[in-house]
Amino acid sequence: MITLKKYKEYLLKNKYLVLFISVLLLFGIIVGLYLGISHIELLREDINYYVTNINSKTYNYLLFHFFVLVIGVITSFFAIGIPLLCTLIFYEGMSMGFLLGIFTVTYQIKGLLFVLIFLIITKLFYLVCLIMLFSKTLHISRKMIGKYIYKTDPSIIINHLLKGCMVCIALVLIYDIVLWFSGSYIVSFFKFLLT
């Protein structure tokens, strides 16, 4: 069981990684906010269409998440998976900022509340798993580089890290299936904020 003390120890041990991911996300959010706000006039019709049809909207990220995460893990053995996952974290920050921008400008405080709830429902768990996966793939890349430079045998550690990666991917896929079948119902429950 993960305790608060273990969580704090993990954060202290990986403070530079946490800082890097936070900066990457924040930069993505800022870029997304800028893009959303600067293109609001072009997007108003799409926003209104989305809000009108919110009950029939489905959130099917299953195949996209599966392929991107599996490719990220496989390519981490060659150290090229790290830039891929960095790009994915930046993209997630950008999409969050974009949604924050367009809904806040369009619906003011009600739009901000709605989009925060929307992001918690559709992105928060995925983002946590993505960050955990990034941490594990970074360790895999470091161990593989160590294997080639220092001729070490990291097979036991890599097997452990791979099991952690598989758990992260499985959790994301379960989350995506739940979101696919019940996401539109849960999100539409908060539609009243936009009226």
Side-chain angles (χ1 to χ4, degrees), residues 17-38:
L17 178 63
V18 171
L19 180 65
F20 173 72
I21 291 171
S22 302
V23 168
L24 200 58
L25 263 177
L26 183 63
F27 185 60
I29 290 170
I30 291 168
V31 171
L33 276 169
Y34 170 75
L35 291 173
I37 292 169
S38 63

mmCIF file with all atom_site columns, all heavy atoms in Angstrom, residues 17-38:
data_model
loop_
_atom_site.group_PDB
_atom_site.id
_atom_site.type_symbol
_atom_site.label_atom_id
_atom_site.label_alt_id
_atom_site.label_comp_id
_atom_site.label_asym_id
_atom_site.label_entity_id
_atom_site.label_seq_id
_atom_site.pdbx_PDB_ins_code
_atom_site.Cartn_x
_atom_site.Cartn_y
_atom_site.Cartn_z
_atom_site.occupancy
_atom_site.B_iso_or_equiv
_atom_site.pdbx_formal_charge
_atom_site.auth_seq_id
_atom_site.auth_comp_id
_atom_site.auth_asym_id
_atom_site.auth_atom_id
_atom_site.pdbx_PDB_model_num
ATOM 1   N N   . LEU A 1 17 ? 12.871 15.070 -12.027 1.00 0.00 ? 17 LEU A N   1
ATOM 2   C CA  . LEU A 1 17 ? 11.939 14.492 -12.991 1.00 0.00 ? 17 LEU A CA  1
ATOM 3   C C   . LEU A 1 17 ? 10.560 15.129 -12.845 1.00 0.00 ? 17 LEU A C   1
ATOM 4   O O   . LEU A 1 17 ? 9.931  15.502 -13.833 1.00 0.00 ? 17 LEU A O   1
ATOM 5   C CB  . LEU A 1 17 ? 11.850 12.974 -12.801 1.00 0.00 ? 17 LEU A CB  1
ATOM 6   C CG  . LEU A 1 17 ? 10.870 12.235 -13.704 1.00 0.00 ? 17 LEU A CG  1
ATOM 7   C CD1 . LEU A 1 17 ? 11.280 12.372 -15.167 1.00 0.00 ? 17 LEU A CD1 1
ATOM 8   C CD2 . LEU A 1 17 ? 10.770 10.776 -13.303 1.00 0.00 ? 17 LEU A CD2 1
ATOM 9   N N   . VAL A 1 18 ? 10.107 15.281 -11.598 1.00 0.00 ? 18 VAL A N   1
ATOM 10  C CA  . VAL A 1 18 ? 8.812  15.918 -11.326 1.00 0.00 ? 18 VAL A CA  1
ATOM 11  C C   . VAL A 1 18 ? 8.825  17.363 -11.820 1.00 0.00 ? 18 VAL A C   1
ATOM 12  O O   . VAL A 1 18 ? 7.861  17.825 -12.442 1.00 0.00 ? 18 VAL A O   1
ATOM 13  C CB  . VAL A 1 18 ? 8.473  15.844 -9.818  1.00 0.00 ? 18 VAL A CB  1
ATOM 14  C CG1 . VAL A 1 18 ? 7.248  16.678 -9.490  1.00 0.00 ? 18 VAL A CG1 1
ATOM 15  C CG2 . VAL A 1 18 ? 8.269  14.397 -9.381  1.00 0.00 ? 18 VAL A CG2 1
ATOM 16  N N   . LEU A 1 19 ? 9.924  18.069 -11.583 1.00 0.00 ? 19 LEU A N   1
ATOM 17  C CA  . LEU A 1 19 ? 10.047 19.455 -12.042 1.00 0.00 ? 19 LEU A CA  1
ATOM 18  C C   . LEU A 1 19 ? 10.012 19.519 -13.567 1.00 0.00 ? 19 LEU A C   1
ATOM 19  O O   . LEU A 1 19 ? 9.312  20.356 -14.152 1.00 0.00 ? 19 LEU A O   1
ATOM 20  C CB  . LEU A 1 19 ? 11.351 20.065 -11.520 1.00 0.00 ? 19 LEU A CB  1
ATOM 21  C CG  . LEU A 1 19 ? 11.627 21.515 -11.929 1.00 0.00 ? 19 LEU A CG  1
ATOM 22  C CD1 . LEU A 1 19 ? 10.591 22.455 -11.330 1.00 0.00 ? 19 LEU A CD1 1
ATOM 23  C CD2 . LEU A 1 19 ? 13.028 21.929 -11.497 1.00 0.00 ? 19 LEU A CD2 1
ATOM 24  N N   . PHE A 1 20 ? 10.734 18.618 -14.235 1.00 0.00 ? 20 PHE A N   1
ATOM 25  C CA  . PHE A 1 20 ? 10.762 18.587 -15.692 1.00 0.00 ? 20 PHE A CA  1
ATOM 26  C C   . PHE A 1 20 ? 9.367  18.344 -16.257 1.00 0.00 ? 20 PHE A C   1
ATOM 27  O O   . PHE A 1 20 ? 8.920  19.047 -17.175 1.00 0.00 ? 20 PHE A O   1
ATOM 28  C CB  . PHE A 1 20 ? 11.732 17.501 -16.178 1.00 0.00 ? 20 PHE A CB  1
ATOM 29  C CG  . PHE A 1 20 ? 11.704 17.291 -17.660 1.00 0.00 ? 20 PHE A CG  1
ATOM 30  C CD1 . PHE A 1 20 ? 12.253 18.234 -18.514 1.00 0.00 ? 20 PHE A CD1 1
ATOM 31  C CD2 . PHE A 1 20 ? 11.111 16.161 -18.188 1.00 0.00 ? 20 PHE A CD2 1
ATOM 32  C CE1 . PHE A 1 20 ? 12.217 18.046 -19.897 1.00 0.00 ? 20 PHE A CE1 1
ATOM 33  C CE2 . PHE A 1 20 ? 11.072 15.959 -19.563 1.00 0.00 ? 20 PHE A CE2 1
ATOM 34  C CZ  . PHE A 1 20 ? 11.627 16.907 -20.421 1.00 0.00 ? 20 PHE A CZ  1
ATOM 35  N N   . ILE A 1 21 ? 8.656  17.352 -15.717 1.00 0.00 ? 21 ILE A N   1
ATOM 36  C CA  . ILE A 1 21 ? 7.309  17.033 -16.201 1.00 0.00 ? 21 ILE A CA  1
ATOM 37  C C   . ILE A 1 21 ? 6.360  18.191 -15.939 1.00 0.00 ? 21 ILE A C   1
ATOM 38  O O   . ILE A 1 21 ? 5.529  18.533 -16.783 1.00 0.00 ? 21 ILE A O   1
ATOM 39  C CB  . ILE A 1 21 ? 6.801  15.724 -15.550 1.00 0.00 ? 21 ILE A CB  1
ATOM 40  C CG1 . ILE A 1 21 ? 7.599  14.539 -16.084 1.00 0.00 ? 21 ILE A CG1 1
ATOM 41  C CG2 . ILE A 1 21 ? 5.317  15.525 -15.819 1.00 0.00 ? 21 ILE A CG2 1
ATOM 42  C CD1 . ILE A 1 21 ? 7.359  13.237 -15.375 1.00 0.00 ? 21 ILE A CD1 1
ATOM 43  N N   . SER A 1 22 ? 6.483  18.820 -14.768 1.00 0.00 ? 22 SER A N   1
ATOM 44  C CA  . SER A 1 22 ? 5.630  19.965 -14.432 1.00 0.00 ? 22 SER A CA  1
ATOM 45  C C   . SER A 1 22 ? 5.848  21.121 -15.401 1.00 0.00 ? 22 SER A C   1
ATOM 46  O O   . SER A 1 22 ? 4.888  21.735 -15.872 1.00 0.00 ? 22 SER A O   1
ATOM 47  C CB  . SER A 1 22 ? 5.899  20.440 -13.004 1.00 0.00 ? 22 SER A CB  1
ATOM 48  O OG  . SER A 1 22 ? 5.674  19.414 -12.089 1.00 0.00 ? 22 SER A OG  1
ATOM 49  N N   . VAL A 1 23 ? 7.118  21.408 -15.726 1.00 0.00 ? 23 VAL A N   1
ATOM 50  C CA  . VAL A 1 23 ? 7.436  22.491 -16.665 1.00 0.00 ? 23 VAL A CA  1
ATOM 51  C C   . VAL A 1 23 ? 6.901  22.151 -18.059 1.00 0.00 ? 23 VAL A C   1
ATOM 52  O O   . VAL A 1 23 ? 6.320  23.000 -18.745 1.00 0.00 ? 23 VAL A O   1
ATOM 53  C CB  . VAL A 1 23 ? 8.959  22.762 -16.707 1.00 0.00 ? 23 VAL A CB  1
ATOM 54  C CG1 . VAL A 1 23 ? 9.332  23.660 -17.865 1.00 0.00 ? 23 VAL A CG1 1
ATOM 55  C CG2 . VAL A 1 23 ? 9.414  23.371 -15.387 1.00 0.00 ? 23 VAL A CG2 1
ATOM 56  N N   . LEU A 1 24 ? 7.066  20.897 -18.469 1.00 0.00 ? 24 LEU A N   1
ATOM 57  C CA  . LEU A 1 24 ? 6.578  20.448 -19.771 1.00 0.00 ? 24 LEU A CA  1
ATOM 58  C C   . LEU A 1 24 ? 5.063  20.603 -19.872 1.00 0.00 ? 24 LEU A C   1
ATOM 59  O O   . LEU A 1 24 ? 4.540  21.127 -20.861 1.00 0.00 ? 24 LEU A O   1
ATOM 60  C CB  . LEU A 1 24 ? 6.982  18.984 -19.973 1.00 0.00 ? 24 LEU A CB  1
ATOM 61  C CG  . LEU A 1 24 ? 7.010  18.401 -21.368 1.00 0.00 ? 24 LEU A CG  1
ATOM 62  C CD1 . LEU A 1 24 ? 7.959  19.182 -22.261 1.00 0.00 ? 24 LEU A CD1 1
ATOM 63  C CD2 . LEU A 1 24 ? 7.418  16.946 -21.306 1.00 0.00 ? 24 LEU A CD2 1
ATOM 64  N N   . LEU A 1 25 ? 4.359  20.165 -18.829 1.00 0.00 ? 25 LEU A N   1
ATOM 65  C CA  . LEU A 1 25 ? 2.896  20.303 -18.792 1.00 0.00 ? 25 LEU A CA  1
ATOM 66  C C   . LEU A 1 25 ? 2.480  21.766 -18.788 1.00 0.00 ? 25 LEU A C   1
ATOM 67  O O   . LEU A 1 25 ? 1.568  22.160 -19.519 1.00 0.00 ? 25 LEU A O   1
ATOM 68  C CB  . LEU A 1 25 ? 2.335  19.617 -17.535 1.00 0.00 ? 25 LEU A CB  1
ATOM 69  C CG  . LEU A 1 25 ? 1.798  18.215 -17.674 1.00 0.00 ? 25 LEU A CG  1
ATOM 70  C CD1 . LEU A 1 25 ? 1.374  17.682 -16.329 1.00 0.00 ? 25 LEU A CD1 1
ATOM 71  C CD2 . LEU A 1 25 ? 0.677  18.134 -18.667 1.00 0.00 ? 25 LEU A CD2 1
ATOM 72  N N   . LEU A 1 26 ? 3.129  22.563 -17.954 1.00 0.00 ? 26 LEU A N   1
ATOM 73  C CA  . LEU A 1 26 ? 2.794  23.978 -17.843 1.00 0.00 ? 26 LEU A CA  1
ATOM 74  C C   . LEU A 1 26 ? 3.023  24.698 -19.170 1.00 0.00 ? 26 LEU A C   1
ATOM 75  O O   . LEU A 1 26 ? 2.188  25.506 -19.604 1.00 0.00 ? 26 LEU A O   1
ATOM 76  C CB  . LEU A 1 26 ? 3.617  24.639 -16.729 1.00 0.00 ? 26 LEU A CB  1
ATOM 77  C CG  . LEU A 1 26 ? 3.310  26.102 -16.446 1.00 0.00 ? 26 LEU A CG  1
ATOM 78  C CD1 . LEU A 1 26 ? 1.871  26.276 -15.965 1.00 0.00 ? 26 LEU A CD1 1
ATOM 79  C CD2 . LEU A 1 26 ? 4.273  26.654 -15.414 1.00 0.00 ? 26 LEU A CD2 1
ATOM 80  N N   . PHE A 1 27 ? 4.126  24.394 -19.823 1.00 0.00 ? 27 PHE A N   1
ATOM 81  C CA  . PHE A 1 27 ? 4.410  24.999 -21.120 1.00 0.00 ? 27 PHE A CA  1
ATOM 82  C C   . PHE A 1 27 ? 3.332  24.607 -22.137 1.00 0.00 ? 27 PHE A C   1
ATOM 83  O O   . PHE A 1 27 ? 2.851  25.431 -22.910 1.00 0.00 ? 27 PHE A O   1
ATOM 84  C CB  . PHE A 1 27 ? 5.808  24.588 -21.605 1.00 0.00 ? 27 PHE A CB  1
ATOM 85  C CG  . PHE A 1 27 ? 6.226  25.254 -22.874 1.00 0.00 ? 27 PHE A CG  1
ATOM 86  C CD1 . PHE A 1 27 ? 6.333  26.638 -22.952 1.00 0.00 ? 27 PHE A CD1 1
ATOM 87  C CD2 . PHE A 1 27 ? 6.524  24.495 -23.991 1.00 0.00 ? 27 PHE A CD2 1
ATOM 88  C CE1 . PHE A 1 27 ? 6.725  27.259 -24.132 1.00 0.00 ? 27 PHE A CE1 1
ATOM 89  C CE2 . PHE A 1 27 ? 6.916  25.111 -25.174 1.00 0.00 ? 27 PHE A CE2 1
ATOM 90  C CZ  . PHE A 1 27 ? 7.013  26.487 -25.245 1.00 0.00 ? 27 PHE A CZ  1
ATOM 91  N N   . GLY A 1 28 ? 2.942  23.332 -22.108 1.00 0.00 ? 28 GLY A N   1
ATOM 92  C CA  . GLY A 1 28 ? 1.869  22.861 -22.988 1.00 0.00 ? 28 GLY A CA  1
ATOM 93  C C   . GLY A 1 28 ? 0.554  23.572 -22.704 1.00 0.00 ? 28 GLY A C   1
ATOM 94  O O   . GLY A 1 28 ? -0.159 23.968 -23.636 1.00 0.00 ? 28 GLY A O   1
ATOM 95  N N   . ILE A 1 29 ? 0.222  23.758 -21.429 1.00 0.00 ? 29 ILE A N   1
ATOM 96  C CA  . ILE A 1 29 ? -1.009 24.450 -21.050 1.00 0.00 ? 29 ILE A CA  1
ATOM 97  C C   . ILE A 1 29 ? -0.995 25.891 -21.542 1.00 0.00 ? 29 ILE A C   1
ATOM 98  O O   . ILE A 1 29 ? -1.992 26.392 -22.078 1.00 0.00 ? 29 ILE A O   1
ATOM 99  C CB  . ILE A 1 29 ? -1.227 24.373 -19.524 1.00 0.00 ? 29 ILE A CB  1
ATOM 100 C CG1 . ILE A 1 29 ? -1.585 22.934 -19.113 1.00 0.00 ? 29 ILE A CG1 1
ATOM 101 C CG2 . ILE A 1 29 ? -2.313 25.343 -19.063 1.00 0.00 ? 29 ILE A CG2 1
ATOM 102 C CD1 . ILE A 1 29 ? -1.585 22.686 -17.620 1.00 0.00 ? 29 ILE A CD1 1
ATOM 103 N N   . ILE A 1 30 ? 0.145  26.575 -21.397 1.00 0.00 ? 30 ILE A N   1
ATOM 104 C CA  . ILE A 1 30 ? 0.257  27.970 -21.843 1.00 0.00 ? 30 ILE A CA  1
ATOM 105 C C   . ILE A 1 30 ? 0.073  28.068 -23.361 1.00 0.00 ? 30 ILE A C   1
ATOM 106 O O   . ILE A 1 30 ? -0.657 28.924 -23.855 1.00 0.00 ? 30 ILE A O   1
ATOM 107 C CB  . ILE A 1 30 ? 1.605  28.578 -21.396 1.00 0.00 ? 30 ILE A CB  1
ATOM 108 C CG1 . ILE A 1 30 ? 1.618  28.755 -19.875 1.00 0.00 ? 30 ILE A CG1 1
ATOM 109 C CG2 . ILE A 1 30 ? 1.870  29.901 -22.088 1.00 0.00 ? 30 ILE A CG2 1
ATOM 110 C CD1 . ILE A 1 30 ? 2.979  29.063 -19.283 1.00 0.00 ? 30 ILE A CD1 1
ATOM 111 N N   . VAL A 1 31 ? 0.736  27.165 -24.104 1.00 0.00 ? 31 VAL A N   1
ATOM 112 C CA  . VAL A 1 31 ? 0.583  27.162 -25.567 1.00 0.00 ? 31 VAL A CA  1
ATOM 113 C C   . VAL A 1 31 ? -0.869 26.878 -25.945 1.00 0.00 ? 31 VAL A C   1
ATOM 114 O O   . VAL A 1 31 ? -1.438 27.542 -26.823 1.00 0.00 ? 31 VAL A O   1
ATOM 115 C CB  . VAL A 1 31 ? 1.543  26.134 -26.214 1.00 0.00 ? 31 VAL A CB  1
ATOM 116 C CG1 . VAL A 1 31 ? 1.238  25.960 -27.700 1.00 0.00 ? 31 VAL A CG1 1
ATOM 117 C CG2 . VAL A 1 31 ? 2.992  26.549 -26.018 1.00 0.00 ? 31 VAL A CG2 1
ATOM 118 N N   . GLY A 1 32 ? -1.491 25.907 -25.273 1.00 0.00 ? 32 GLY A N   1
ATOM 119 C CA  . GLY A 1 32 ? -2.889 25.574 -25.547 1.00 0.00 ? 32 GLY A CA  1
ATOM 120 C C   . GLY A 1 32 ? -3.830 26.720 -25.243 1.00 0.00 ? 32 GLY A C   1
ATOM 121 O O   . GLY A 1 32 ? -4.765 26.990 -26.006 1.00 0.00 ? 32 GLY A O   1
ATOM 122 N N   . LEU A 1 33 ? -3.602 27.410 -24.117 1.00 0.00 ? 33 LEU A N   1
ATOM 123 C CA  . LEU A 1 33 ? -4.413 28.588 -23.772 1.00 0.00 ? 33 LEU A CA  1
ATOM 124 C C   . LEU A 1 33 ? -4.307 29.647 -24.868 1.00 0.00 ? 33 LEU A C   1
ATOM 125 O O   . LEU A 1 33 ? -5.327 30.211 -25.310 1.00 0.00 ? 33 LEU A O   1
ATOM 126 C CB  . LEU A 1 33 ? -3.954 29.194 -22.440 1.00 0.00 ? 33 LEU A CB  1
ATOM 127 C CG  . LEU A 1 33 ? -4.514 28.589 -21.169 1.00 0.00 ? 33 LEU A CG  1
ATOM 128 C CD1 . LEU A 1 33 ? -3.761 29.109 -19.958 1.00 0.00 ? 33 LEU A CD1 1
ATOM 129 C CD2 . LEU A 1 33 ? -5.993 28.883 -21.033 1.00 0.00 ? 33 LEU A CD2 1
ATOM 130 N N   . TYR A 1 34 ? -3.080 29.901 -25.296 1.00 0.00 ? 34 TYR A N   1
ATOM 131 C CA  . TYR A 1 34 ? -2.872 30.908 -26.342 1.00 0.00 ? 34 TYR A CA  1
ATOM 132 C C   . TYR A 1 34 ? -3.612 30.523 -27.624 1.00 0.00 ? 34 TYR A C   1
ATOM 133 O O   . TYR A 1 34 ? -4.309 31.345 -28.233 1.00 0.00 ? 34 TYR A O   1
ATOM 134 C CB  . TYR A 1 34 ? -1.379 31.089 -26.619 1.00 0.00 ? 34 TYR A CB  1
ATOM 135 C CG  . TYR A 1 34 ? -1.123 31.936 -27.837 1.00 0.00 ? 34 TYR A CG  1
ATOM 136 C CD1 . TYR A 1 34 ? -1.292 33.316 -27.788 1.00 0.00 ? 34 TYR A CD1 1
ATOM 137 C CD2 . TYR A 1 34 ? -0.747 31.341 -29.043 1.00 0.00 ? 34 TYR A CD2 1
ATOM 138 C CE1 . TYR A 1 34 ? -1.085 34.095 -28.927 1.00 0.00 ? 34 TYR A CE1 1
ATOM 139 C CE2 . TYR A 1 34 ? -0.544 32.107 -30.171 1.00 0.00 ? 34 TYR A CE2 1
ATOM 140 C CZ  . TYR A 1 34 ? -0.716 33.488 -30.109 1.00 0.00 ? 34 TYR A CZ  1
ATOM 141 O OH  . TYR A 1 34 ? -0.519 34.238 -31.231 1.00 0.00 ? 34 TYR A OH  1
ATOM 142 N N   . LEU A 1 35 ? -3.464 29.262 -28.052 1.00 0.00 ? 35 LEU A N   1
ATOM 143 C CA  . LEU A 1 35 ? -4.107 28.814 -29.292 1.00 0.00 ? 35 LEU A CA  1
ATOM 144 C C   . LEU A 1 35 ? -5.630 28.875 -29.183 1.00 0.00 ? 35 LEU A C   1
ATOM 145 O O   . LEU A 1 35 ? -6.312 29.300 -30.114 1.00 0.00 ? 35 LEU A O   1
ATOM 146 C CB  . LEU A 1 35 ? -3.655 27.394 -29.639 1.00 0.00 ? 35 LEU A CB  1
ATOM 147 C CG  . LEU A 1 35 ? -2.208 27.243 -30.076 1.00 0.00 ? 35 LEU A CG  1
ATOM 148 C CD1 . LEU A 1 35 ? -1.847 25.777 -30.226 1.00 0.00 ? 35 LEU A CD1 1
ATOM 149 C CD2 . LEU A 1 35 ? -1.950 27.996 -31.371 1.00 0.00 ? 35 LEU A CD2 1
ATOM 150 N N   . GLY A 1 36 ? -6.163 28.439 -28.031 1.00 0.00 ? 36 GLY A N   1
ATOM 151 C CA  . GLY A 1 36 ? -7.615 28.450 -27.838 1.00 0.00 ? 36 GLY A CA  1
ATOM 152 C C   . GLY A 1 36 ? -8.189 29.853 -27.840 1.00 0.00 ? 36 GLY A C   1
ATOM 153 O O   . GLY A 1 36 ? -9.181 30.137 -28.524 1.00 0.00 ? 36 GLY A O   1
ATOM 154 N N   . ILE A 1 37 ? -7.563 30.742 -27.105 1.00 0.00 ? 37 ILE A N   1
ATOM 155 C CA  . ILE A 1 37 ? -8.074 32.112 -26.983 1.00 0.00 ? 37 ILE A CA  1
ATOM 156 C C   . ILE A 1 37 ? -7.899 32.876 -28.298 1.00 0.00 ? 37 ILE A C   1
ATOM 157 O O   . ILE A 1 37 ? -8.790 33.622 -28.710 1.00 0.00 ? 37 ILE A O   1
ATOM 158 C CB  . ILE A 1 37 ? -7.393 32.843 -25.805 1.00 0.00 ? 37 ILE A CB  1
ATOM 159 C CG1 . ILE A 1 37 ? -7.837 32.198 -24.482 1.00 0.00 ? 37 ILE A CG1 1
ATOM 160 C CG2 . ILE A 1 37 ? -7.728 34.327 -25.808 1.00 0.00 ? 37 ILE A CG2 1
ATOM 161 C CD1 . ILE A 1 37 ? -7.057 32.637 -23.268 1.00 0.00 ? 37 ILE A CD1 1
ATOM 162 N N   . SER A 1 38 ? -6.774 32.677 -28.976 1.00 0.00 ? 38 SER A N   1
ATOM 163 C CA  . SER A 1 38 ? -6.527 33.431 -30.209 1.00 0.00 ? 38 SER A CA  1
ATOM 164 C C   . SER A 1 38 ? -7.399 32.964 -31.383 1.00 0.00 ? 38 SER A C   1
ATOM 165 O O   . SER A 1 38 ? -7.585 33.699 -32.339 1.00 0.00 ? 38 SER A O   1
ATOM 166 C CB  . SER A 1 38 ? -5.047 33.364 -30.591 1.00 0.00 ? 38 SER A CB  1
ATOM 167 O OG  . SER A 1 38 ? -4.667 32.034 -30.871 1.00 0.00 ? 38 SER A OG  1
#
